[in-house]
Amino acid sequence: MKRVLVAGAGGFIGGHLVARLSADGCWVRAVDRVEHEHRELPADEFLTLDLRDADDCRKALDGGFDEVYQLAADMGGMEFIHSAECEIMRNSAAVNANMVAAAASAGVARYFLSSSVCVYRDMAPDESPLTENDAYPANPHNEYGWEKLYAERMVSAFARRHGFEARIGRFENCYGPYGTWRGGREKAPAAIARKVAEAPDGGTIDVFGGGTTIRTFVYVDDLVDAVVLLARSGEERPTNIGPDERVTIADLVNVVADVAGKRIEIRAVDGPLGVEARNFSHERIKALGWTPRHDLRSGMAETYRWIAEQVARA
Ligand code: NAD
């Protein structure tokens, strides 16, 4: 039986990854500094640890693992990324430095790092797709992206020097049930689903800048498929994970309004917008056999159903 460690298991994507690996028959140790807020995890063991601490990282890795999935990070939507840049650079860098060093000492076979397309520069709306190599010369739009780029380089260096396999997924915007949907750290799909759930039919919701920026959104089950596929593949290079479908934030509002069966107007308000546009090549992940199973509408239907339930209960 494969022994796997999921760090950041109390979070949105980590929780889904634990469920998937456990269903696949792996023995799973889940680690986070907090328990999952929204679900019981089917892990074989859950350890509450602060992975900024080197001793806690050693405890996380104690016992030997075939695969380590490192998803712990100080993470949030654009409002959080904009305001918490010091916490992100300090905490996530400490987690990544201590985790990869502990994994090297423990002799793990494979180490997966959750990176982000925030490592790329901003783009114009009509630009052709950026490939993974276009992360250099580096010019990320925010400090979260710089920390991810540094973590990528650190994990690759440790893998070279200590002889383990490192895999790096650059995640695009991920959405789905069991994620943060209120409180300031929620990302755009969850925030919009919450606002639509709270609005009456014919109501108006506030959207930063009116929703003209362009994004891609990957449904969490599809992302987790890609993570496991990439982690076990021979692809040593950083790999973008997201669908080709590109939409504006206003399009996303329309999709959510449609699945909710409501007419919704957008009111443009001031707020951090992030980059203007995204467009990435997915040839590398597709070459491994990955195809997303959900389009934005079917994924948002699942997500909206769950968030509307949370709103009704709150
Ligand atoms: P999340 O915030 O839901 O989960 C991150 C988890 O890490 C949290 O449960 C948090 O408690 C834990 N964590 C943070 N610091 C810790 C520490 N010091 N010790 C132990 N645990 C700690 O975020 P998520 O959306 O599930 O993201 C998972 C990973 O994927 C992160 O690395 C994130 O940067 C990356 N990513 C996510 C997205 C997205 O759209 N959600 C996009 C790109 C990259």
Side-chain angles (χ1 to χ4, degrees):
M1 189 188 265
K2 230 175 219 171
R3 281 176 59 89
V4 304
L5 171 64
V6 178
F12 166 48
I13 301 169
H16 283 273
L17 183 60
V18 167
R20 159 67 192 273
L21 292 167
S22 172
D24 283 355
C26 298
W27 186 93
V28 184
R29 177 180 289 165
V31 173
D32 203 295
R33 65 181 162 190
V34 294
E35 289 196 13
H36 206 292
E37 197 186 337
H38 305 297
R39 67 194 299 186
E40 276 293 312
L41 291 182
D44 295 278
E45 196 173 69
F46 187 97
L47 302 185
T48 308
L49 297 169
D50 186 339
L51 300 173
R52 290 172 300 181
D53 182 89
D55 279 341
D56 274 11
C57 289
R58 278 190 283 277
K59 284 179 202 156
L61 281 145
D62 187 42
F65 287 93
D66 301 301
E67 295 170 357
V68 172
Y69 294 86
Q70 197 326 69
L71 284 86
D74 246 345
M75 174 61 191
M78 202 33 71
E79 223 172 343
F80 176 76
I81 283 180
H82 191 71
S83 61
E85 49 192 12
C86 299
E87 290 83 350
I88 289 168
M89 292 194 93
R90 183 177 179 195
N91 296 336
S92 297
V95 168
N96 280 316
N98 288 322
M99 273 299 287
V100 76
S105 303
V108 302
R110 277 178 183 256
Y111 189 95
F112 178 90
L113 174 72
S114 56
S115 184
S116 163
V117 291
C118 281
V119 300
Y120 297 102
R121 62 172 171 80
D122 195 359
M123 299 179 73
D126 53 357
E127 270 191 74
S128 45
L130 296 183
T131 70
E132 284 84 351
N133 295 343
D134 294 321
Y136 297 97
N139 189 18
H141 185 255
N142 51 50
E143 306 305 352
Y144 171 80
W146 280 107
E147 191 282 326
K148 289 292 191 196
L149 209 52
Y150 178 69
E152 287 189 2
R153 301 194 69 90
M154 187 165 40
V155 165
S156 301
F158 271 80
R160 275 196 303 275
R161 296 289 160 200
H162 294 268
F164 61 87
E165 299 291 331
R167 299 291 178 264
I168 297 169
R170 291 181 180 157
F171 300 176
E172 294 174 40
N173 278 285
C174 182
Y175 70 99
Y178 306 118
T180 306
W181 58 278
R182 63 176 173 184
R185 286 203 186 200
E186 63 279 19
K187 303 195 78 183
I192 288 167
R194 185 197 69 233
K195 289 178 186 186
V196 170
E198 288 168 347
D201 185 20
T204 300
I205 67 166
D206 290 345
V207 176
F208 293 158
T212 55
T213 55
I214 298 170
R215 296 286 182 274
T216 53
F217 295 101
V218 58
Y219 187 65
V220 64
D221 289 352
D222 293 328
L223 178 79
V224 164
D225 285 349
V227 166
V228 176
L229 189 66
L230 176 59
R232 294 176 181 169
S233 76
E235 181 54 81
E236 296 177 345
R237 302 166 297 175
T239 301
N240 298 334
I241 304 179
D244 291 331
E245 188 181 8
R246 298 164 70 224
V247 292
T248 64
I249 297 292
D251 294 333
L252 175 65
V253 173
N254 290 335
V255 167
V256 177
D258 192 38
V259 299
K262 294 181 181 181
R263 286 163 299 132
I264 295 289
E265 297 290 323
I266 291 175
R267 177 169 43 223
V269 295
D270 286 342
L273 297 181
V275 292
E276 187 178 2
R278 288 313 203 186
N279 190 9
F280 300 114
S281 161
H282 302 115
E283 297 314 309
R284 205 170 271 180
I285 190 69
K286 284 184 195 165
L288 298 180
W290 182 75
T291 340
R293 290 176 284 136
H294 299 80
D295 60 11
L296 187 61
R297 198 180 189 291
S298 62
M300 274 318 299
E302 296 294 324
T303 309
Y304 181 77
R305 188 176 314 134
W306 182 79
I307 291 181
E309 270 171 34
Q310 311 310 305
V311 169
R313 270 201 225 126

